Amino acid sequence: MGAYWSPENPNLYEVTMALKNGTEMTDRVESYFGMRKVRIEGGRIYLNNQPYYQKLLLDQGYWEESLITAPSDEDYKNDILMSKAMGFNGCRKHEKVEDPRFLYWADHLGFLVWEAMASFWVYTPEGACAFMREWMDVIRRDYNHPSIIVWGMLNESWGVPGIYENQEQQSFSKSLYYMARSLDSTRLVISNDGWEMTDTDICAVHSYQHGREDDQKQQELYKNCLKEIDELPKIVEKRLFAKGHSYQKQPVVLTEFGGIAVSEDESGWGYTAIGRSEFLKEYSRILDAVYDSDLICGYCYTQLTDVEQETNGLLTSTHQYKFDPEKIKEINDRRNR
């Protein structure tokens, strides 16, 4: 029996294809493949028939000196190695289809990828057509990367601002979902990550309402609401599902949360701010609230690096550790399933 691919054991098989004319080799191609299975059952995400807790980082894939292209191939590799050293097993790409070299390293190093694409802002039939065509191109290009396990079609209703009631925009969201499912039966698909979902394989929720360090009442509300699907809307900016759609016992993943800025970065921004020396305590508190929930089966922390005015990264804008990675890992390792 072959060895399956996973973040812990990224088993890959090398493939060589040669074209010969008699005894003369006229062409040669080398590649690789990995075998893995992704499915959902009982409100959980399974990888290779085992429940697998998602520990993701929101990753905008941005560098100060080169914007959305890494300065070197080694930079893609290092981002993954640093993320794994902090105890994360994957990333949710944010508003970016990542370079194939990043996906190559994700395959080889063992790192889950939730693929996404930049959103358009105002819904038009022309924009919808272009967006659909580009998504089909992305799925065809990246289909063979075992590290990709989720296609995230839309984000926070961007491009479909009236989706809660607008039938045209709802139909577009559902058409994206079924298009992806028709082209790829091996991965999960999210119609609209964050809220106002239509048909979707994952109930993907964004919430930064964890409360400041001195707001015990909000902290308790956040912790309790994470435990019940009917209570979740109290800590989410908009309704979980678009009108006419409802929760169908999908796995619930907190796909954006945290976003803690360090207060010494006075010109920066985060959802809450705290002193550098207190960060680990605050990070631990918020993650403990997530881990205390049996409903939540994974999370995506905001975010990997500082980006422009956003100073809520675990790494600096130059992709250096802000905090001891072992300390972050100790906190992340408190739960595995």
Side-chain angles (χ1 to χ4, degrees):
M1 181 180 293
Y4 296 121
W5 183 97
S6 71
E8 294 73 26
N9 296 289
N11 297 299
L12 297 172
Y13 297 84
E14 303 296 328
V15 178
T16 300
M17 293 166 282
L19 179 64
K20 291 184 177 182
N21 183 5
T23 59
E24 180 186 1
M25 183 178 296
T26 59
D27 201 359
R28 176 187 175 96
V29 175
E30 294 183 353
S31 188
Y32 65 88
F33 71 91
M35 299 187 295
R36 58 100 185 96
K37 179 181 179 182
V38 181
R39 66 181 176 88
I40 55 177
E41 181 182 317
R44 291 291 182 264
I45 298 173
Y46 281 69
L47 179 65
N48 302 327
N49 293 325
Q50 297 295 323
Y52 198 89
Y53 200 93
Q54 310 287 303
K55 300 180 181 181
L56 313 176
L57 277 165
L58 191 74
D59 183 6
Q60 300 193 55
Y62 184 88
W63 287 264
E64 284 187 337
E65 62 269 47
S66 55
L67 305 183
I68 61 172
T69 301
S72 72
D73 188 54
E74 198 70 13
D75 289 296
Y76 287 127
K77 179 180 180 181
N78 286 338
D79 270 6
I80 293 172
L81 289 174
M82 295 176 79
S83 297
K84 286 176 70 82
M86 292 187 289
F88 295 95
N89 55 33
C91 68
R92 173 178 169 251
K93 283 293 174 177
H94 188 54
E95 295 297 296
K96 182 187 183 186
V97 176
E98 194 50 275
D99 190 283
R101 289 304 300 175
F102 178 91
L103 300 175
Y104 170 90
W105 286 116
D107 292 342
H108 281 76
L109 298 173
F111 201 59
L112 301 177
V113 178
W114 289 28
E115 184 86 288
M117 185 164 65
S119 301
F120 58 106
W121 198 247
V122 177
Y123 184 84
T124 64
E126 294 78 13
C129 287
F131 194 76
M132 179 75 76
R133 284 195 301 270
E134 289 182 13
W135 251 123
M136 288 191 288
D137 288 342
V138 169
I139 293 172
R140 283 196 295 264
R141 189 197 76 170
D142 294 341
Y143 178 88
N144 287 314
H145 288 283
S147 57
I148 299 175
I149 65 165
V150 171
W151 302 118
M153 298 287 104
L154 298 166
N155 179 72
E156 292 187 348
S157 304
W158 295 354
V160 285
I163 192 172
Y164 178 71
E165 291 187 301
N166 186 286
Q167 290 294 316
E168 186 178 32
Q169 294 178 22
Q170 286 189 13
S171 295
F172 177 60
S173 170
K174 288 188 283 189
S175 70
L176 286 169
Y177 171 81
Y178 286 106
M179 175 274 292
R181 296 287 292 169
S182 71
L183 296 181
D184 183 2
S185 62
T186 72
R187 295 179 172 91
L188 306 179
V189 182
I190 299 173
S191 60
N192 186 20
D193 205 307
W195 46 65
E196 296 181 326
M197 289 163 275
T198 56
D199 296 354
T200 186
D201 293 330
I202 296 173
C203 180
V205 179
H206 297 181
S207 177
Y208 295 98
Q209 298 183 34
H210 50 262
R212 300 184 310 275
E213 58 178 324
D214 59 350
D215 190 345
Q216 188 65 35
K217 182 178 179 180
Q218 183 61 34
Q219 291 178 27
E220 286 300 315
L221 176 66
Y222 183 77
K223 182 177 181 179
N224 292 331
C225 287
L226 289 177
K227 297 178 180 180
E228 299 290 341
I229 190 68
D230 292 337
E231 298 297 308
L232 265 178
K234 294 180 180 179
I235 55 170
V236 178
E237 185 175 321
K238 298 182 180 180
R239 294 176 175 90
L240 293 187
F241 286 86
K243 189 174 181 179
H245 301 78
S246 60
Y247 178 63
Q248 301 297 319
K249 300 188 184 303
Q250 299 98 328
V252 179
V253 180
L254 191 59
T255 49
E256 283 191 33
F257 82 111
I260 310 165
V262 175
S263 60
E264 284 89 337
D265 300 319
E266 295 180 359
S267 61
W269 174 86
Y271 290 92
T272 55
I274 200 162
R276 184 177 294 274
S277 63
E278 297 298 313
F279 175 83
L280 290 174
K281 179 181 177 182
E282 182 73 351
Y283 180 79
S284 178
R285 173 183 71 79
I286 297 173
L287 203 57
D288 280 347
V290 177
Y291 282 169
D292 193 47
S293 170
D294 290 330
L295 175 69
I296 304 298
C297 66
Y299 59 80
C300 177
Y301 183 80
T302 304
Q303 59 182 318
L304 175 60
T305 71
D306 291 349
V307 177
E308 297 291 349
Q309 79 280 2
E310 299 177 12
T311 58
N312 50 17
L314 295 179
L315 307 182
T316 67
S317 59
T318 57
H319 295 234
Q320 304 299 313
Y321 288 122
K322 285 185 182 180
F323 315 101
D324 182 347
E326 282 296 322
K327 297 294 185 182
I328 298 290
K329 186 175 186 300
E330 286 176 11
I331 299 169
N332 288 341
D333 283 352
R334 290 177 187 169
R335 179 168 177 177
N336 290 315
R337 290 190 178 182

